[in-house]
Amino acid sequence: MRIWKKSRQFVSFLNRYNGGKALVLTHQNPDPDCLAGSMLLRRVFMDGHGMDCTIGYSGIVGRAENRTMAELCRIPLVNVRQLNLKDFDFLALIDTQPGVGNNALPGELKPTVVVDHHPRKQGSKGVPWVDVRTRYGASATIAHEYFQAHGLKLDTLETTALFYAIKSETQDLGREASAPDRRLYFALAPEVDNELLYEITHAKLDRGYFQMLNRALEHARTHRDVLITELDEIRIPDHVAEVADMLLRLRNIHWTLVMGYYRQSIFLSLRTTRRDVDAGAIMETLVEGIGTGGGHEMMAGGRIDQVNPEEKGSLNAEIGERLLKALKKRAGAEELIVSE
């Protein structure tokens, strides 16, 4: 496998920090990409540089597949509520950056390392090591290059976690996958534990999941090639992204926007099949002045905090109108599911 020059330079950079306590911090409600990436970074810090390393996360690991992946691949996650971030000598962010609003890094703390595949943000300025590769489909692919540069070997659990991360993040290489992602995906495939992979991809779902899905379908409205829906109150923030991906499969739909309300916050997910309009830039427009958000060419997320329950309906409507205005859509809404 090819290793980018910067990944080799990371070895020398880390030699300045041998020993001590390290923290790898994921974004809120971690997904397979940052879970696998943090798993590999932990090995790099521990086995390559003798650090005592913890993986910290905030929010919840909510989606059934993600929980199953973390449990069966034995990823040792610790909620930041149980940690004092100032106790660590070395802090790395994976799949997120300072100041973007989707991680638990306090504003007064500056990380040592940022590894991400989202566009570089102002908050990363002044961080000693920043490796942002927007052409990569997964942050875990970057972490694996670091892993290789240290001469480390994947075990079966790490292989399966990394394979599933790329599979999930790039939708089986069909969404924003780069040549490095593809090379790694096919190199890993023969070494994957397929029974374990099956358990992850077919994780059991509770009744509440299907109730949530029913609400998504009932509330869905189409505006030509745009579909917008609300999930009302949700138990798992990850569901907004999952439903946005799912409904993008609807014939003649090229944009989906899904909104869900969780603990006084509105979570947003935007997906598109289009490559000539940047979903991340559109999301920034949707949350301008009211929240935080961003993303990639074909997928984006956002969040609006401190929303009273009685205000969420009007805010959802405003966000929907912002999307239609940004995309220059004027067609009237049609219900996806028409009751007889």
Side-chain angles (χ1 to χ4, degrees):
M1 296 293 294
R2 300 176 190 174
I3 304 174
W4 196 33
K5 181 179 178 181
K6 188 157 187 175
S7 297
R8 299 187 188 279
Q9 293 171 340
F10 191 53
V11 180
S12 299
F13 172 81
L14 287 180
N15 284 334
R16 311 176 202 171
Y17 299 94
N18 286 333
K21 291 182 63 178
L23 175 68
V24 180
L25 188 63
T26 73
H27 58 64
Q28 283 183 326
N29 312 312
D31 62 8
D33 186 22
C34 64
L35 288 173
S38 63
M39 186 185 197
L40 299 190
L41 285 184
R42 180 173 180 267
R43 276 280 311 278
V44 166
F45 297 150
M46 292 178 66
D47 295 356
H49 299 275
M51 299 180 185
D52 178 12
C53 187
T54 300
I55 301 174
Y57 76 100
S58 56
I60 60 173
V61 184
R63 188 168 173 172
E65 294 91 335
N66 301 354
R67 287 198 311 273
T68 303
M69 171 186 171
E71 292 168 4
L72 297 185
C73 294
R74 301 176 189 171
I75 303 175
L77 300 172
V78 180
N79 196 289
V80 293
R81 291 193 299 266
Q82 303 173 41
L83 303 171
N84 182 349
L85 272 57
K86 295 180 180 180
D87 288 342
F88 294 91
D89 310 302
F90 183 100
L91 202 156
L93 292 184
I94 178 77
D95 206 32
T96 183
Q97 297 179 49
V100 298
N102 72 342
N103 61 64
L105 182 72
E108 68 274 13
L109 287 184
K110 185 71 84 173
T112 320
V113 166
V114 167
V115 179
D116 197 10
H117 68 134
H118 300 89
R120 184 164 179 160
K121 300 298 184 182
Q122 183 65 26
S124 292
K125 186 177 180 179
V127 174
W129 181 271
V130 179
D131 193 352
V132 173
R133 308 185 197 179
T134 55
R135 67 185 184 88
Y136 277 51
S139 294
T141 302
I142 307 171
H144 180 257
E145 285 193 17
Y146 294 163
F147 200 84
Q148 280 190 303
H150 281 81
L152 300 173
K153 302 296 182 184
L154 296 169
D155 63 26
T156 301
L157 295 182
E158 291 163 342
T159 297
T160 305
L162 180 56
F163 180 85
Y164 180 68
I166 299 171
K167 172 184 173 67
S168 173
E169 189 73 5
T170 67
Q171 297 281 285
D172 295 298
L173 303 182
R175 179 179 67 189
E176 299 182 351
S178 68
D181 300 303
R182 291 190 290 271
R183 285 195 295 266
L184 181 54
Y185 182 93
F186 290 116
L188 294 171
E191 308 301 324
V192 166
D193 181 332
N194 287 297
E195 290 185 5
L196 176 58
L197 182 64
Y198 178 87
E199 289 192 60
I200 295 170
T201 57
H202 295 82
K204 289 296 183 180
L205 302 163
D206 62 21
R207 186 181 298 266
Y209 173 86
F210 295 97
Q211 292 169 341
M212 175 279 300
L213 188 57
N214 182 62
R215 290 195 301 273
L217 297 174
E218 286 184 334
H219 295 167
R221 301 291 184 270
T222 60
H223 308 258
R224 295 197 177 184
D225 64 343
V226 180
L227 184 149
I228 300 172
T229 191
E230 305 172 24
L231 305 184
D232 292 332
E233 292 198 29
I234 51 177
R235 297 180 297 117
I236 298 171
D238 289 350
H239 282 164
V240 293
E242 185 173 4
V243 171
D245 285 331
M246 184 185 304
L247 293 180
L248 194 59
R249 296 178 60 185
L250 181 63
R251 191 184 305 275
N252 298 323
I253 291 296
H254 296 293
W255 291 88
T256 56
L257 172 65
V258 178
M259 297 166 278
Y261 187 71
Y262 176 78
R263 295 186 178 179
Q264 291 192 297
S265 294
I266 294 175
F267 286 79
L268 314 171
S269 279
L270 182 67
R271 297 290 187 268
T272 184
T273 60
R274 299 271 301 274
R275 296 180 182 273
D276 58 332
V277 183
D278 190 307
I282 295 290
M283 178 56 72
E284 291 177 6
T285 299
L286 300 188
V287 299
E288 185 177 0
I290 55 176
T292 57
H296 312 264
E297 180 183 85
M298 302 175 70
M299 55 191 292
R303 176 172 172 168
I304 303 167
D305 292 324
Q306 302 302 315
V307 178
N308 291 326
E310 60 270 19
E311 297 174 345
K312 63 183 176 68
S314 59
L315 264 176
N316 286 342
E318 178 183 345
I319 294 163
E321 287 299 319
R322 288 187 179 192
L323 176 63
L324 296 176
K325 182 178 180 180
L327 297 178
K328 299 180 181 179
K329 305 293 181 180
R330 298 298 181 195
E334 295 184 11
E335 296 182 6
L336 177 61
I337 305 297
V338 180
S339 301
E340 295 183 359

